Amino acid sequence: MSDMPRRRFLAGAGAALAGLGINFAHAGVARADQHWDETFDVIIVGAGLAGLTAACAALDEGAKTVLLEKMSVSGGTGNYSNGTFSVVGSPQQAAAGIKDDWKILMEDNMREGGGWCRPELARHVAEQSHASYEFAIAHGATFEDYLIPFPGHSVKRLLQPTKNCEVGFLQPFRRYVKEHGGEIRTRVRVDEILFNDAGEVVGVKARTNYRFDPSLESDDLENKTGTVKYYRALRGIVCATGGWAHDKVFLEQECPQFAQTFSTQHIGSTASGYRLLANAGARMIQTAFYRAAFPEANNMGKGVIVDVTTGKRYISETKDRRTQFEAANIQMLKTGRIPVSILDKEAYEHVVNMPHFQVNRAAGWVTEHPSIEDVAKHYEIPLEPLKETIARYNADVEKGVDTEFGSDLEKKFKNPIDHAPYYVCWVRPDLNANTGGALITPKAEVVGLNTNKPIPGLYAAGKATGGVHGYSRLLGAAIADCVVFGMTAGREVARRKPAA
């Protein structure tokens, strides 16, 4: 192609892309004579739970499918997640005689989202809840035979994958992908989504042999490793790039109050997926929303929560998770130390999800002690103020009235902290996830910024999206989101007619 025709082509393509709401300054334009290193029906960017689910669904439709993962291993945060799965109508519910339906689940999710959920997205997750469970089982996922109770859910519906997300979900899904002709390619960083002159997604520009470098201030912007490749996608692309809660630079820009907050998201949870979608013209929403968590969010309210520098309570244990998160974050900023919750033997006997509790013990986030004196010594807490705090707390529990904070102790697990051994949980704020990202339709189509219409051939699922959860999300909702919208995206993209 000569320079003049090429310039005319690019100008025409740019006009078409601009009309579709695509940022031409950053979106890639495939040349009329574009050389493609390889061609697939479906390209999935990101090989975590949402991406693997999408791949399983696309392969079921007969699509030639590849997953491109920038890290050296697939799985994303799922490799470290407990994997709790919110499901309506499971055999475990049936065995327990629990009545549940998708409308109740939707109400629970909408309430937790503070009214910020997109109703059509929350409805899709709820309506497809049982279907997503059946999909997971059909693709090899396995679950324990018990249900996990958790505040915010009107009934018991949370399933525990066998051991954890890695064993119960990821291993069987990886196996299914490989056995059915799909590919999982690691250390492949996707830099641009490419469009034709009609504004349809036709492929990606990527780098193979990419080496993620956590020592860089911003791996996304500074890392130039890898060999450039161009991959064609005949039917479309699914962005399942996960969240960005581990991206300190991006986090400081969005949520400066949490710039130093710990995150259990995997180290590769940076804003590369956010940038990829934003540069492709996606409407990005609710990016400052987050999900607050703690190592033992299920159980820390069963004890007395104290500031380790003073031995005194700083908040009522009955407060909701987000309020606890923000208060603990302020304590850490003030003192430089992590608050703790002290449970006794009786509270320990009522721990929710004991396998997870034991994992946290192995990690050192829960410790066991023979006496309050040993607790004080281990955590360098002033002993006498701590004893006074526990004595006052125990007296309040007996009366059922919190004389320090005025809270209703009837709302919490009521027991005095007076039976050894004692178990101490870190009350360490964990920025567990961001709940914002690209706006999608119930078909998992990415909506364009300037058109309010789907960008042809571009889909997204999981933490790369926004609007599903709103202000916050319930335990188990993230896994449900990944499976439901991964399943939806994989099917929709595989059934799409090839781009012109």
Side-chain angles (χ1 to χ4, degrees), residues 108-423:
D108 290 347
N109 286 336
M110 292 284 287
R111 182 175 58 253
E112 183 70 14
W116 290 90
C117 306
R118 298 285 305 176
E120 72 279 10
L121 301 181
R123 176 171 181 150
H124 185 68
V125 170
E127 280 187 325
Q128 294 298 310
S129 171
H130 188 71
S132 71
Y133 168 79
E134 293 181 329
F135 178 94
I137 293 293
H139 292 81
T142 57
F143 302 91
E144 305 289 356
D145 60 5
Y146 56 83
L147 294 166
I148 301 171
F150 195 79
H153 289 278
S154 297
V155 299
K156 285 186 178 181
R157 62 167 69 97
L158 299 179
L159 298 182
Q160 172 61 46
T162 302
K163 293 188 176 180
N164 50 41
C165 186
E166 163 68 19
V167 175
F169 269 119
L170 298 180
Q171 290 181 10
F173 280 19
R174 288 191 194 101
R175 187 161 50 245
Y176 189 93
V177 168
K178 293 176 181 178
E179 290 175 352
H180 289 78
E183 288 189 74
I184 303 172
R185 299 186 183 181
T186 57
R187 291 181 52 213
V188 181
R189 159 73 183 264
V190 174
D191 290 322
E192 294 180 53
I193 294 171
L194 304 178
F195 295 82
N196 63 15
D197 59 355
E200 297 175 292
V201 169
V202 292
V204 298
K205 177 184 176 183
R207 281 178 281 161
T208 59
N209 297 315
Y210 182 78
R211 293 186 177 278
F212 182 82
D213 187 351
S215 70
L216 298 175
E217 182 178 44
S218 176
D219 179 86
D220 290 354
L221 304 181
E222 300 173 46
N223 193 329
K224 307 302 180 185
T225 61
T227 302
V228 174
K229 300 286 184 179
Y230 291 88
Y231 297 126
R232 187 179 187 186
L234 295 176
R235 298 183 183 276
I237 293 168
V238 178
C239 281
T241 47
W244 44 263
H246 221 291
D247 191 320
K248 293 300 183 183
V249 175
F250 199 81
L251 177 62
E252 191 278 332
Q253 294 167 346
E254 288 288 333
C255 306
Q257 71 274 37
F258 302 136
Q260 303 304 315
T261 302
F262 175 82
S263 176
T264 50
Q265 297 291 287
H266 77 104
I267 197 169
S269 297
T270 68
S272 58
Y274 181 102
R275 292 186 172 95
L276 185 69
L277 284 160
N279 287 337
R283 173 71 170 96
M284 309 302 287
I285 64 171
Q286 301 178 352
T287 52
F289 288 174
Y290 62 92
R291 195 228 183 195
F294 298 91
E296 274 302 323
N298 294 356
N299 297 302
M300 67 185 199
K302 293 181 172 67
V304 56
I305 297 175
V306 300
D307 169 11
V308 295
T309 65
T310 64
K312 298 180 179 180
R313 295 168 72 205
Y314 61 89
I315 192 170
S316 167
E317 294 78 10
T318 64
K319 293 294 184 181
D320 63 88
R321 182 188 293 200
R322 183 174 287 260
T323 302
Q324 293 277 8
F325 182 94
E326 292 173 354
N329 187 64
I330 290 171
Q331 286 297 120
M332 287 182 62
L333 290 174
K334 286 168 53 178
T335 69
R337 298 185 60 194
I338 300 170
V340 298
S341 176
I342 303 171
L343 285 65
D344 74 345
K345 181 177 181 292
E346 184 177 351
Y348 174 78
E349 291 172 352
H350 290 82
V351 158
V352 174
N353 198 352
M354 183 59 78
H356 183 64
F357 191 86
Q358 298 301 345
V359 167
N360 283 335
R361 285 188 68 180
W365 300 340
V366 176
T367 55
E368 180 180 345
H369 304 271
S371 65
I372 292 299
E373 287 77 8
D374 192 65
V375 170
K377 180 179 179 181
H378 182 89
Y379 286 95
E380 299 180 349
I381 307 173
L383 178 58
E384 291 308 315
L386 177 61
K387 285 184 172 180
E388 291 172 7
T389 294
I390 292 174
R392 179 175 178 178
Y393 175 83
N394 289 346
D396 285 353
V397 166
E398 292 295 330
K399 294 182 291 186
V401 178
D402 185 349
T403 59
E404 191 164 2
F405 294 103
S407 60
D408 183 1
L409 293 180
E410 297 296 332
K411 293 181 179 180
K412 76 182 295 289
F413 179 79
K414 284 179 58 181
N415 75 290
I417 309 300
D418 58 3
H419 287 85
Y422 298 94
Y423 298 86

Side-chain angles (χ1 to χ4, degrees), residues 16-141:
L17 294 175
L20 286 165
I22 296 166
N23 183 354
F24 180 61
H26 298 286
V29 181
R31 304 189 309 269
D33 62 347
Q34 177 71 55
H35 165 74
W36 298 106
D37 292 286
E38 291 183 79
T39 297
F40 305 92
D41 290 321
V42 173
I43 294 174
I44 299 170
V45 186
L49 179 58
L52 287 166
T53 304
C56 290
L59 289 165
D60 287 346
E61 299 294 326
K64 182 181 179 183
T65 303
V66 65
L67 294 106
L68 305 179
E69 168 61 52
K70 74 176 183 181
M71 304 302 286
S72 59
V73 295
S74 63
T77 298
N79 290 322
Y80 319 104
S81 170
N82 197 44
T84 311
F85 187 22
S86 178
V87 172
V88 169
S90 67
Q92 289 86 338
Q93 279 191 323
I98 295 173
K99 294 183 179 180
D100 196 8
D101 66 52
W102 69 264
K103 293 179 181 178
I104 299 173
L105 174 58
M106 180 178 174
E107 289 176 1
D108 290 347
N109 286 336
M110 292 284 287
R111 182 175 58 253
E112 183 70 14
W116 290 90
C117 306
R118 298 285 305 176
E120 72 279 10
L121 301 181
R123 176 171 181 150
H124 185 68
V125 170
E127 280 187 325
Q128 294 298 310
S129 171
H130 188 71
S132 71
Y133 168 79
E134 293 181 329
F135 178 94
I137 293 293
H139 292 81

